[in-house]
Amino acid sequence: RQEKQWYQRRVPITAGVYGWFWECPNGEKCLYKHCLPPGFILKRDVVKEDRKEELTLEELIDIERKKLGTKTTKVTFETFKIWKAKKLTEKKEKLIQATKKKKVPTATLR
């Protein structure tokens, strides 16, 4: 029961309007004690913990590159151009094959 009452009363706290001059909407006839429970810490007062080891992008790339092994090809501008040309020709071939399949005459299907 107390948790439910606390849940109903915490709305002004999370909205940031609860303070010295806040007045209960029920007025002076309110049955509840308006105070925070012992040990309660507002979210805005929580100190963000520093991450112990936050890796930079360069460090993360180096770690992932080491996981690949030593038998890989180094990426240079020349190797990238060769790879890109190869991928474009493969894409064109797939497109040509897909269009050939679509151009099958309907008379042969009967």
Side-chain angles (χ1 to χ4, degrees):
R1 179 180 162 110
Q2 289 179 346
E3 290 180 17
K4 185 176 180 182
Q5 291 171 357
W6 166 244
Y7 178 77
Q8 292 171 350
R9 292 178 303 193
R10 77 178 178 148
V11 175
I13 296 168
T14 56
V17 295
Y18 189 71
W20 289 104
F21 300 107
W22 179 79
E23 294 181 11
C24 178
N26 295 332
E28 293 182 11
K29 61 182 179 179
C30 185
L31 302 174
Y32 303 112
K33 180 180 177 186
H34 295 284
C35 66
L36 298 173
F40 184 82
I41 300 173
L42 295 173
K43 288 183 181 179
R44 65 174 185 227
D45 296 337
V46 174
V47 177
K48 294 181 182 178
E49 296 178 11
D50 294 334
R51 295 182 181 169
K52 293 179 183 176
E53 293 184 21
E54 188 171 320
L55 297 175
T56 63
L57 182 61
E58 292 82 11
E59 292 172 345
L60 182 63
I61 290 172
D62 287 338
I63 291 170
E64 293 298 322
R65 188 179 295 150
K66 288 177 184 176
K67 288 181 184 178
L68 291 174
T70 58
K71 296 182 181 181
T72 58
T73 306
K74 290 187 178 184
V75 179
T76 61
F77 185 67
E78 291 79 21
T79 57
F80 175 75
K81 286 194 315 187
I82 294 169
W83 173 83
K84 186 68 173 177
K86 180 181 171 186
K87 287 295 180 180
L88 286 175
T89 56
E90 289 176 2
K91 187 176 181 181
K92 287 179 184 177
E93 289 175 3
K94 285 183 182 179
L95 183 63
I96 291 170
Q97 290 176 359
T99 55
K100 284 183 181 178
K101 288 181 181 179
K102 290 181 182 179
K103 290 184 179 180
V104 175
T106 57
T108 59
L109 295 176
R110 288 184 181 185

